[in-house]
Amino acid sequence: MRLPDPDATRVVLIGVAEYQHFPPLPAVRNNLTKLAKLFRSPLGGGLPDRHCTTVLNPTDIVSALDPVHRAASEASDTLVVYFAGHGMPMSDGSLRLAVRNSERGRKQYASVAFDDLRAEVLDSMAANKVVILDCCYSGAALQGFMGSTDEVADGTIIEGTYVMTASAATQAAMAPPHAPLTAFTGELVKAIAKGIAGVPDPLDMSSLYRHVHGQLKSQGMPLPQQRASGLGHDIALFHNKWRQPTEKPTLSTKREEWFREIHHELLGRLRDVSAFAQGKLRPEFGDSTLIRSLLVARIATQLAQGKSTTVISGMLASSGVFATPHPNADELCELITEVQFAYETDGLANSVSSLGGLGLSPWAPESTYILLIEYWAAQRGRSMPRPRVERELSELWDTADTRVLSAISSLPPLPLATYPDLWKKMKAEPDLRVGTITATMLGERGGSDRAWEHWMSTRPWSTLKARHLVQLGGDLVRCKEAQQTLAQYVHLTPADHNSRAVFVRAAEIIDEQLKDIELAIESMSDIEYDLLRERTADEHFQDGCLATFSKHLLKRSQFFTPFEEHKMNHGTWAAIPWWSLVVHSKQEQRAVEDFLKRGGLQLGVHTASPDAEELVISCEEPGLGPSWTAARLIFDLRDVVHACEVLLLGRRQSVVVDFLTEHINEWDDRQVHLAGSLDLALGPEIGAKLTDVATCALRRLLPGSSGPALYHDGVPALDRLLSSSRLPKIARCPR
């Protein structure tokens, strides 16, 4: 068995989540998102985005079947068609698929006859054909799908045709209320994402079917059906992620896995970009995946700092990491556009609250870039002398500060390689009582479990993908708690008591481990340290609010609407703050040209007290220079969106200002042009003041709320308020 050729394969995912005359199926939207991600991932062979078409809420036959017809005519290796929605059985036993405008009492009105979809699939020249139906009565589609054996034998004798349905011809499929996915597709996605034990790689359709059938049967759900012709059962669409259990991974291995996950998330949308094609990068600078990730993070950082496509393209063109011939201007612009789209829609990765659950924030792309630079330098230092690493940091990645160069180039390549396993150390103790007491102190009886749960509940990541940090941080808080408890036992136990020596030795083991933990933390990056450190209740609350706010900012479409007021406008772009200012007179335009070259704008924060209901930020030339350019931004702290914007400003500690000129053309149309952008640093003092003011405002607006609960990435009360609020304008003018 083999996976399909990505270039010769087409996938069409059709789903109807909203209906005019049927109950809605909100989980269907997630079905399409999850399946598309799996097909495009390495598990699905890395199917190019353009070869995986998602059709959400088609309204009629044309909008549903046209994408199928197009994919069927293009596919030569494999054609996959998936449908999720309501199914309608006909009196003759056939099946119709309900689209958005379908009516229950008029089944043939604005619905898709499955026979029509079947004909499109069978007309394809693709060697493999797969149809998956997640709808009520979908088993009716199996009747006669293959036609007679003579009709299809020639076309399927080598490869095959395969159909899987969510239910039998007389059964209704299940979409449990409030479940993120429908029952059938949920088990399908879970099997693909986690793999199936004891099944070869790649994952054939028959094995996939048997697993999903067994899972649904154990839950009392409607049972799926299948049919295949030729060798259709052997068609494989995905790798089997399951692997035979191996030895427990070390902390160092977990850290390497974390970086691989970061690369995967950063490059998920960019596998088809021509500038990243094989052979485009110079191999002597290290792993090409890491170099690509660094370039993506660097582009995102420059976009977030207001740099234009022309400037970023120039930076890339002069970069020493590209092989000769360098990517041309069009290829570089394509790369920048794709990175910009990724940053606008999900903060660079397939998550809205943090980088794929990896702990890196969408409102600080610089932190991702710095982390990857540090990792690259550490890996480079394994084979290159330190002066050369510092020179390459400066030449390739524009790291100029000598103190930063020295700090980065001195990081060890494998900082956790010698980290000792605490539990192995306890087992190796000759005195069994010492190991038992130490383990007890590190568990529930010693209070360490509660300390770990509290620490975990305040983490700024939403999942446990950063497993090395979870383990290291867990060891840290457990050992600190055990250290305090053991100190009390040693103090209270008489010197001549036979258990005192046991407590003393247990305390020594914990002290030794804490020293090893301290050394491990010091050898990692500042970003990892920040993810590990203890967080206050306010910081936990702020992290949750920013994650919730970012989710709402990133899930909307990006657009730019010129504002009418002759004032400064505050808003956001993607998940970061962004301001705009229109200049009118020739004098103002000349002034803007001047301080765009030399900088020179100054920010001031004006509020009566941290509990004030209004905040004013002034933006002006220092001492009101020759242009007398000044503007004021007013934030209403009774408005939850304004409060979130202020918090975002405080935590980011910088903001870009677009200077715009307006012109009324001969048809009285108002046109706005970008004169330039200035990245203003707020500084830690102003940042801290804005953060305090915003935190007070959000606590007033969200009484009783705290940071997110364990394993959750948002604040529910804020989520509800933002859902009913008008989000800030997109203030970033197109480049």
Side-chain angles (χ1 to χ4, degrees), residues 353-384:
S353 58
S354 57
L355 183 58
L358 293 158
L360 304 175
S361 306
W363 56 85
E366 297 86 353
S367 64
T368 304
Y369 182 48
I370 292 170
L371 175 70
L372 292 175
I373 282 183
E374 291 175 335
Y375 182 70
W376 177 84
Q379 302 307 307
R380 194 77 175 136
R382 301 170 73 173
S383 57
M384 294 295 165

PDB file of all heavy atoms in Angstrom, residues 353-384:
ATOM      1  N   SER A 353      -5.381  31.062  20.223  1.00  0.00           N
ATOM      2  CA  SER A 353      -5.000  31.557  21.535  1.00  0.00           C
ATOM      3  C   SER A 353      -3.503  31.511  21.766  1.00  0.00           C
ATOM      4  O   SER A 353      -2.954  32.305  22.488  1.00  0.00           O
ATOM      5  CB  SER A 353      -5.692  30.749  22.626  1.00  0.00           C
ATOM      6  OG  SER A 353      -5.341  29.379  22.486  1.00  0.00           O
ATOM      7  N   SER A 354      -2.821  30.593  21.182  1.00  0.00           N
ATOM      8  CA  SER A 354      -1.375  30.514  21.276  1.00  0.00           C
ATOM      9  C   SER A 354      -0.892  29.683  20.114  1.00  0.00           C
ATOM     10  O   SER A 354      -1.677  29.063  19.411  1.00  0.00           O
ATOM     11  CB  SER A 354      -0.950  29.885  22.610  1.00  0.00           C
ATOM     12  OG  SER A 354      -1.527  28.610  22.746  1.00  0.00           O
ATOM     13  N   LEU A 355       0.396  29.681  19.925  1.00  0.00           N
ATOM     14  CA  LEU A 355       0.948  29.060  18.726  1.00  0.00           C
ATOM     15  C   LEU A 355       0.725  27.559  18.761  1.00  0.00           C
ATOM     16  O   LEU A 355       1.549  26.795  19.228  1.00  0.00           O
ATOM     17  CB  LEU A 355       2.434  29.376  18.605  1.00  0.00           C
ATOM     18  CG  LEU A 355       3.140  28.849  17.364  1.00  0.00           C
ATOM     19  CD1 LEU A 355       2.491  29.369  16.094  1.00  0.00           C
ATOM     20  CD2 LEU A 355       4.597  29.249  17.391  1.00  0.00           C
ATOM     21  N   GLY A 356      -0.445  27.114  18.228  1.00  0.00           N
ATOM     22  CA  GLY A 356      -0.737  25.693  18.177  1.00  0.00           C
ATOM     23  C   GLY A 356      -0.751  25.056  19.547  1.00  0.00           C
ATOM     24  O   GLY A 356      -0.494  23.866  19.686  1.00  0.00           O
ATOM     25  N   GLY A 357      -1.074  25.824  20.596  1.00  0.00           N
ATOM     26  CA  GLY A 357      -1.009  25.258  21.936  1.00  0.00           C
ATOM     27  C   GLY A 357       0.413  25.073  22.428  1.00  0.00           C
ATOM     28  O   GLY A 357       0.649  24.342  23.368  1.00  0.00           O
ATOM     29  N   LEU A 358       1.376  25.738  21.802  1.00  0.00           N
ATOM     30  CA  LEU A 358       2.778  25.542  22.144  1.00  0.00           C
ATOM     31  C   LEU A 358       3.310  26.625  23.074  1.00  0.00           C
ATOM     32  O   LEU A 358       4.493  26.661  23.359  1.00  0.00           O
ATOM     33  CB  LEU A 358       3.613  25.490  20.857  1.00  0.00           C
ATOM     34  CG  LEU A 358       3.316  24.258  19.995  1.00  0.00           C
ATOM     35  CD1 LEU A 358       3.728  24.506  18.557  1.00  0.00           C
ATOM     36  CD2 LEU A 358       4.030  23.044  20.535  1.00  0.00           C
ATOM     37  N   GLY A 359       2.448  27.531  23.492  1.00  0.00           N
ATOM     38  CA  GLY A 359       2.850  28.506  24.484  1.00  0.00           C
ATOM     39  C   GLY A 359       3.389  29.809  23.946  1.00  0.00           C
ATOM     40  O   GLY A 359       3.831  30.655  24.711  1.00  0.00           O
ATOM     41  N   LEU A 360       3.373  30.013  22.629  1.00  0.00           N
ATOM     42  CA  LEU A 360       3.912  31.236  22.039  1.00  0.00           C
ATOM     43  C   LEU A 360       2.770  32.103  21.541  1.00  0.00           C
ATOM     44  O   LEU A 360       1.887  31.633  20.838  1.00  0.00           O
ATOM     45  CB  LEU A 360       4.877  30.887  20.909  1.00  0.00           C
ATOM     46  CG  LEU A 360       6.018  29.967  21.349  1.00  0.00           C
ATOM     47  CD1 LEU A 360       6.853  29.562  20.153  1.00  0.00           C
ATOM     48  CD2 LEU A 360       6.887  30.633  22.397  1.00  0.00           C
ATOM     49  N   SER A 361       2.805  33.382  21.875  1.00  0.00           N
ATOM     50  CA  SER A 361       1.627  34.229  21.726  1.00  0.00           C
ATOM     51  C   SER A 361       1.546  34.893  20.357  1.00  0.00           C
ATOM     52  O   SER A 361       2.554  35.367  19.837  1.00  0.00           O
ATOM     53  CB  SER A 361       1.642  35.319  22.798  1.00  0.00           C
ATOM     54  OG  SER A 361       1.759  34.737  24.074  1.00  0.00           O
ATOM     55  N   PRO A 362       0.338  34.995  19.777  1.00  0.00           N
ATOM     56  CA  PRO A 362       0.182  35.661  18.485  1.00  0.00           C
ATOM     57  C   PRO A 362       0.402  37.159  18.564  1.00  0.00           C
ATOM     58  O   PRO A 362       0.664  37.789  17.549  1.00  0.00           O
ATOM     59  CB  PRO A 362      -1.256  35.330  18.080  1.00  0.00           C
ATOM     60  CG  PRO A 362      -1.958  35.021  19.363  1.00  0.00           C
ATOM     61  CD  PRO A 362      -0.936  34.412  20.261  1.00  0.00           C
ATOM     62  N   TRP A 363       0.295  37.755  19.763  1.00  0.00           N
ATOM     63  CA  TRP A 363       0.510  39.197  19.875  1.00  0.00           C
ATOM     64  C   TRP A 363       2.006  39.533  20.061  1.00  0.00           C
ATOM     65  O   TRP A 363       2.359  40.688  20.228  1.00  0.00           O
ATOM     66  CB  TRP A 363      -0.292  39.787  21.040  1.00  0.00           C
ATOM     67  CG  TRP A 363      -0.037  39.152  22.374  1.00  0.00           C
ATOM     68  CD1 TRP A 363       0.956  39.460  23.255  1.00  0.00           C
ATOM     69  CD2 TRP A 363      -0.791  38.105  22.974  1.00  0.00           C
ATOM     70  NE1 TRP A 363       0.875  38.663  24.363  1.00  0.00           N
ATOM     71  CE2 TRP A 363      -0.195  37.816  24.218  1.00  0.00           C
ATOM     72  CE3 TRP A 363      -1.905  37.373  22.591  1.00  0.00           C
ATOM     73  CZ2 TRP A 363      -0.683  36.829  25.068  1.00  0.00           C
ATOM     74  CZ3 TRP A 363      -2.384  36.393  23.438  1.00  0.00           C
ATOM     75  CH2 TRP A 363      -1.778  36.130  24.657  1.00  0.00           C
ATOM     76  N   ALA A 364       2.878  38.523  19.999  1.00  0.00           N
ATOM     77  CA  ALA A 364       4.316  38.774  20.131  1.00  0.00           C
ATOM     78  C   ALA A 364       5.091  37.869  19.183  1.00  0.00           C
ATOM     79  O   ALA A 364       5.779  36.949  19.620  1.00  0.00           O
ATOM     80  CB  ALA A 364       4.763  38.553  21.574  1.00  0.00           C
ATOM     81  N   PRO A 365       4.996  38.099  17.856  1.00  0.00           N
ATOM     82  CA  PRO A 365       5.753  37.245  16.925  1.00  0.00           C
ATOM     83  C   PRO A 365       7.250  37.353  17.134  1.00  0.00           C
ATOM     84  O   PRO A 365       7.998  36.430  16.788  1.00  0.00           O
ATOM     85  CB  PRO A 365       5.337  37.779  15.546  1.00  0.00           C
ATOM     86  CG  PRO A 365       4.864  39.179  15.791  1.00  0.00           C
ATOM     87  CD  PRO A 365       4.249  39.152  17.151  1.00  0.00           C
ATOM     88  N   GLU A 366       7.708  38.468  17.718  1.00  0.00           N
ATOM     89  CA  GLU A 366       9.137  38.624  17.989  1.00  0.00           C
ATOM     90  C   GLU A 366       9.649  37.529  18.915  1.00  0.00           C
ATOM     91  O   GLU A 366      10.791  37.074  18.774  1.00  0.00           O
ATOM     92  CB  GLU A 366       9.419  39.993  18.619  1.00  0.00           C
ATOM     93  CG  GLU A 366       9.084  41.180  17.734  1.00  0.00           C
ATOM     94  CD  GLU A 366       7.638  41.629  17.825  1.00  0.00           C
ATOM     95  OE1 GLU A 366       6.834  40.934  18.495  1.00  0.00           O
ATOM     96  OE2 GLU A 366       7.311  42.671  17.230  1.00  0.00           O
ATOM     97  N   SER A 367       8.819  37.099  19.882  1.00  0.00           N
ATOM     98  CA  SER A 367       9.271  36.070  20.822  1.00  0.00           C
ATOM     99  C   SER A 367       9.507  34.741  20.109  1.00  0.00           C
ATOM    100  O   SER A 367      10.447  34.014  20.424  1.00  0.00           O
ATOM    101  CB  SER A 367       8.254  35.901  21.960  1.00  0.00           C
ATOM    102  OG  SER A 367       7.016  35.421  21.461  1.00  0.00           O
ATOM    103  N   THR A 368       8.657  34.437  19.136  1.00  0.00           N
ATOM    104  CA  THR A 368       8.861  33.219  18.352  1.00  0.00           C
ATOM    105  C   THR A 368      10.153  33.310  17.559  1.00  0.00           C
ATOM    106  O   THR A 368      10.930  32.346  17.486  1.00  0.00           O
ATOM    107  CB  THR A 368       7.672  33.000  17.402  1.00  0.00           C
ATOM    108  OG1 THR A 368       6.465  32.958  18.154  1.00  0.00           O
ATOM    109  CG2 THR A 368       7.825  31.703  16.629  1.00  0.00           C
ATOM    110  N   TYR A 369      10.398  34.468  16.971  1.00  0.00           N
ATOM    111  CA  TYR A 369      11.619  34.670  16.181  1.00  0.00           C
ATOM    112  C   TYR A 369      12.863  34.544  17.059  1.00  0.00           C
ATOM    113  O   TYR A 369      13.832  33.861  16.704  1.00  0.00           O
ATOM    114  CB  TYR A 369      11.556  36.044  15.515  1.00  0.00           C
ATOM    115  CG  TYR A 369      12.731  36.371  14.618  1.00  0.00           C
ATOM    116  CD1 TYR A 369      13.180  35.461  13.668  1.00  0.00           C
ATOM    117  CD2 TYR A 369      13.387  37.592  14.732  1.00  0.00           C
ATOM    118  CE1 TYR A 369      14.258  35.765  12.845  1.00  0.00           C
ATOM    119  CE2 TYR A 369      14.458  37.907  13.907  1.00  0.00           C
ATOM    120  CZ  TYR A 369      14.889  36.981  12.968  1.00  0.00           C
ATOM    121  OH  TYR A 369      15.954  37.281  12.159  1.00  0.00           O
ATOM    122  N   ILE A 370      12.839  35.167  18.231  1.00  0.00           N
ATOM    123  CA  ILE A 370      13.993  35.103  19.135  1.00  0.00           C
ATOM    124  C   ILE A 370      14.231  33.665  19.584  1.00  0.00           C
ATOM    125  O   ILE A 370      15.378  33.188  19.627  1.00  0.00           O
ATOM    126  CB  ILE A 370      13.762  36.024  20.351  1.00  0.00           C
ATOM    127  CG1 ILE A 370      13.773  37.493  19.914  1.00  0.00           C
ATOM    128  CG2 ILE A 370      14.824  35.791  21.418  1.00  0.00           C
ATOM    129  CD1 ILE A 370      13.320  38.453  20.990  1.00  0.00           C
ATOM    130  N   LEU A 371      13.166  32.958  19.921  1.00  0.00           N
ATOM    131  CA  LEU A 371      13.304  31.567  20.346  1.00  0.00           C
ATOM    132  C   LEU A 371      13.986  30.728  19.266  1.00  0.00           C
ATOM    133  O   LEU A 371      14.904  29.945  19.540  1.00  0.00           O
ATOM    134  CB  LEU A 371      11.927  30.983  20.668  1.00  0.00           C
ATOM    135  CG  LEU A 371      11.903  29.489  21.004  1.00  0.00           C
ATOM    136  CD1 LEU A 371      12.546  29.237  22.353  1.00  0.00           C
ATOM    137  CD2 LEU A 371      10.478  28.952  20.987  1.00  0.00           C
ATOM    138  N   LEU A 372      13.553  30.898  18.018  1.00  0.00           N
ATOM    139  CA  LEU A 372      14.120  30.104  16.933  1.00  0.00           C
ATOM    140  C   LEU A 372      15.559  30.507  16.629  1.00  0.00           C
ATOM    141  O   LEU A 372      16.389  29.657  16.265  1.00  0.00           O
ATOM    142  CB  LEU A 372      13.252  30.244  15.681  1.00  0.00           C
ATOM    143  CG  LEU A 372      11.862  29.606  15.783  1.00  0.00           C
ATOM    144  CD1 LEU A 372      11.046  29.914  14.535  1.00  0.00           C
ATOM    145  CD2 LEU A 372      11.964  28.100  15.981  1.00  0.00           C
ATOM    146  N   ILE A 373      15.890  31.790  16.756  1.00  0.00           N
ATOM    147  CA  ILE A 373      17.277  32.225  16.577  1.00  0.00           C
ATOM    148  C   ILE A 373      18.170  31.561  17.628  1.00  0.00           C
ATOM    149  O   ILE A 373      19.266  31.063  17.329  1.00  0.00           O
ATOM    150  CB  ILE A 373      17.386  33.760  16.663  1.00  0.00           C
ATOM    151  CG1 ILE A 373      16.923  34.396  15.355  1.00  0.00           C
ATOM    152  CG2 ILE A 373      18.820  34.187  16.957  1.00  0.00           C
ATOM    153  CD1 ILE A 373      17.061  35.896  15.333  1.00  0.00           C
ATOM    154  N   GLU A 374      17.694  31.567  18.864  1.00  0.00           N
ATOM    155  CA  GLU A 374      18.478  30.941  19.934  1.00  0.00           C
ATOM    156  C   GLU A 374      18.666  29.446  19.672  1.00  0.00           C
ATOM    157  O   GLU A 374      19.757  28.901  19.877  1.00  0.00           O
ATOM    158  CB  GLU A 374      17.791  31.166  21.279  1.00  0.00           C
ATOM    159  CG  GLU A 374      17.823  32.613  21.738  1.00  0.00           C
ATOM    160  CD  GLU A 374      17.047  32.862  23.016  1.00  0.00           C
ATOM    161  OE1 GLU A 374      16.121  32.076  23.301  1.00  0.00           O
ATOM    162  OE2 GLU A 374      17.365  33.830  23.712  1.00  0.00           O
ATOM    163  N   TYR A 375      17.627  28.807  19.224  1.00  0.00           N
ATOM    164  CA  TYR A 375      17.714  27.372  18.935  1.00  0.00           C
ATOM    165  C   TYR A 375      18.667  27.119  17.769  1.00  0.00           C
ATOM    166  O   TYR A 375      19.495  26.200  17.815  1.00  0.00           O
ATOM    167  CB  TYR A 375      16.319  26.831  18.611  1.00  0.00           C
ATOM    168  CG  TYR A 375      16.277  25.353  18.338  1.00  0.00           C
ATOM    169  CD1 TYR A 375      16.485  24.433  19.363  1.00  0.00           C
ATOM    170  CD2 TYR A 375      16.017  24.872  17.058  1.00  0.00           C
ATOM    171  CE1 TYR A 375      16.435  23.069  19.112  1.00  0.00           C
ATOM    172  CE2 TYR A 375      15.971  23.511  16.805  1.00  0.00           C
ATOM    173  CZ  TYR A 375      16.177  22.619  17.830  1.00  0.00           C
ATOM    174  OH  TYR A 375      16.137  21.267  17.579  1.00  0.00           O
ATOM    175  N   TRP A 376      18.559  27.951  16.710  1.00  0.00           N
ATOM    176  CA  TRP A 376      19.444  27.797  15.559  1.00  0.00           C
ATOM    177  C   TRP A 376      20.910  27.978  15.975  1.00  0.00           C
ATOM    178  O   TRP A 376      21.780  27.198  15.581  1.00  0.00           O
ATOM    179  CB  TRP A 376      19.082  28.818  14.473  1.00  0.00           C
ATOM    180  CG  TRP A 376      20.000  28.775  13.281  1.00  0.00           C
ATOM    181  CD1 TRP A 376      19.931  27.947  12.203  1.00  0.00           C
ATOM    182  CD2 TRP A 376      21.154  29.597  13.071  1.00  0.00           C
ATOM    183  NE1 TRP A 376      20.954  28.199  11.321  1.00  0.00           N
ATOM    184  CE2 TRP A 376      21.725  29.203  11.833  1.00  0.00           C
ATOM    185  CE3 TRP A 376      21.751  30.623  13.792  1.00  0.00           C
ATOM    186  CZ2 TRP A 376      22.866  29.810  11.322  1.00  0.00           C
ATOM    187  CZ3 TRP A 376      22.899  31.223  13.280  1.00  0.00           C
ATOM    188  CH2 TRP A 376      23.435  30.821  12.057  1.00  0.00           C
ATOM    189  N   ALA A 377      21.187  29.001  16.770  1.00  0.00           N
ATOM    190  CA  ALA A 377      22.559  29.272  17.198  1.00  0.00           C
ATOM    191  C   ALA A 377      23.109  28.124  18.038  1.00  0.00           C
ATOM    192  O   ALA A 377      24.276  27.740  17.904  1.00  0.00           O
ATOM    193  CB  ALA A 377      22.618  30.583  17.980  1.00  0.00           C
ATOM    194  N   ALA A 378      22.261  27.576  18.913  1.00  0.00           N
ATOM    195  CA  ALA A 378      22.710  26.454  19.743  1.00  0.00           C
ATOM    196  C   ALA A 378      23.044  25.233  18.885  1.00  0.00           C
ATOM    197  O   ALA A 378      24.054  24.559  19.117  1.00  0.00           O
ATOM    198  CB  ALA A 378      21.638  26.109  20.767  1.00  0.00           C
ATOM    199  N   GLN A 379      22.202  24.961  17.892  1.00  0.00           N
ATOM    200  CA  GLN A 379      22.480  23.828  16.999  1.00  0.00           C
ATOM    201  C   GLN A 379      23.720  24.096  16.158  1.00  0.00           C
ATOM    202  O   GLN A 379      24.525  23.194  15.908  1.00  0.00           O
ATOM    203  CB  GLN A 379      21.272  23.570  16.085  1.00  0.00           C
ATOM    204  CG  GLN A 379      19.967  23.293  16.809  1.00  0.00           C
ATOM    205  CD  GLN A 379      20.106  22.177  17.836  1.00  0.00           C
ATOM    206  OE1 GLN A 379      20.570  21.082  17.538  1.00  0.00           O
ATOM    207  NE2 GLN A 379      19.721  22.474  19.072  1.00  0.00           N
ATOM    208  N   ARG A 380      23.854  25.349  15.726  1.00  0.00           N
ATOM    209  CA  ARG A 380      25.009  25.710  14.895  1.00  0.00           C
ATOM    210  C   ARG A 380      26.296  25.567  15.692  1.00  0.00           C
ATOM    211  O   ARG A 380      27.345  25.198  15.155  1.00  0.00           O
ATOM    212  CB  ARG A 380      24.830  27.154  14.422  1.00  0.00           C
ATOM    213  CG  ARG A 380      25.754  27.573  13.295  1.00  0.00           C
ATOM    214  CD  ARG A 380      25.287  27.015  11.991  1.00  0.00           C
ATOM    215  NE  ARG A 380      26.096  27.518  10.888  1.00  0.00           N
ATOM    216  CZ  ARG A 380      26.548  26.746   9.904  1.00  0.00           C
ATOM    217  NH1 ARG A 380      26.269  25.450   9.902  1.00  0.00           N
ATOM    218  NH2 ARG A 380      27.252  27.259   8.919  1.00  0.00           N
ATOM    219  N   GLY A 381      26.234  25.859  16.986  1.00  0.00           N
ATOM    220  CA  GLY A 381      27.410  25.783  17.833  1.00  0.00           C
ATOM    221  C   GLY A 381      27.941  24.381  18.038  1.00  0.00           C
ATOM    222  O   GLY A 381      29.051  24.206  18.551  1.00  0.00           O
ATOM    223  N   ARG A 382      27.175  23.381  17.659  1.00  0.00           N
ATOM    224  CA  ARG A 382      27.647  21.999  17.798  1.00  0.00           C
ATOM    225  C   ARG A 382      28.770  21.690  16.820  1.00  0.00           C
ATOM    226  O   ARG A 382      29.585  20.795  17.071  1.00  0.00           O
ATOM    227  CB  ARG A 382      26.486  21.026  17.581  1.00  0.00           C
ATOM    228  CG  ARG A 382      25.346  21.218  18.556  1.00  0.00           C
ATOM    229  CD  ARG A 382      24.112  20.417  18.201  1.00  0.00           C
ATOM    230  NE  ARG A 382      24.280  19.000  18.461  1.00  0.00           N
ATOM    231  CZ  ARG A 382      23.301  18.105  18.355  1.00  0.00           C
ATOM    232  NH1 ARG A 382      22.095  18.498  17.994  1.00  0.00           N
ATOM    233  NH2 ARG A 382      23.518  16.839  18.610  1.00  0.00           N
ATOM    234  N   SER A 383      28.787  22.393  15.681  1.00  0.00           N
ATOM    235  CA  SER A 383      29.778  22.076  14.650  1.00  0.00           C
ATOM    236  C   SER A 383      30.625  23.272  14.233  1.00  0.00           C
ATOM    237  O   SER A 383      31.555  23.116  13.442  1.00  0.00           O
ATOM    238  CB  SER A 383      29.073  21.517  13.407  1.00  0.00           C
ATOM    239  OG  SER A 383      28.098  22.434  12.917  1.00  0.00           O
ATOM    240  N   MET A 384      30.297  24.472  14.731  1.00  0.00           N
ATOM    241  CA  MET A 384      31.020  25.672  14.319  1.00  0.00           C
ATOM    242  C   MET A 384      31.586  26.399  15.540  1.00  0.00           C
ATOM    243  O   MET A 384      30.967  26.411  16.601  1.00  0.00           O
ATOM    244  CB  MET A 384      30.086  26.625  13.557  1.00  0.00           C
ATOM    245  CG  MET A 384      29.599  26.076  12.226  1.00  0.00           C
ATOM    246  SD  MET A 384      30.958  25.867  11.080  1.00  0.00           S
ATOM    247  CE  MET A 384      30.171  24.812   9.842  1.00  0.00           C
TER     248      MET A 384
END
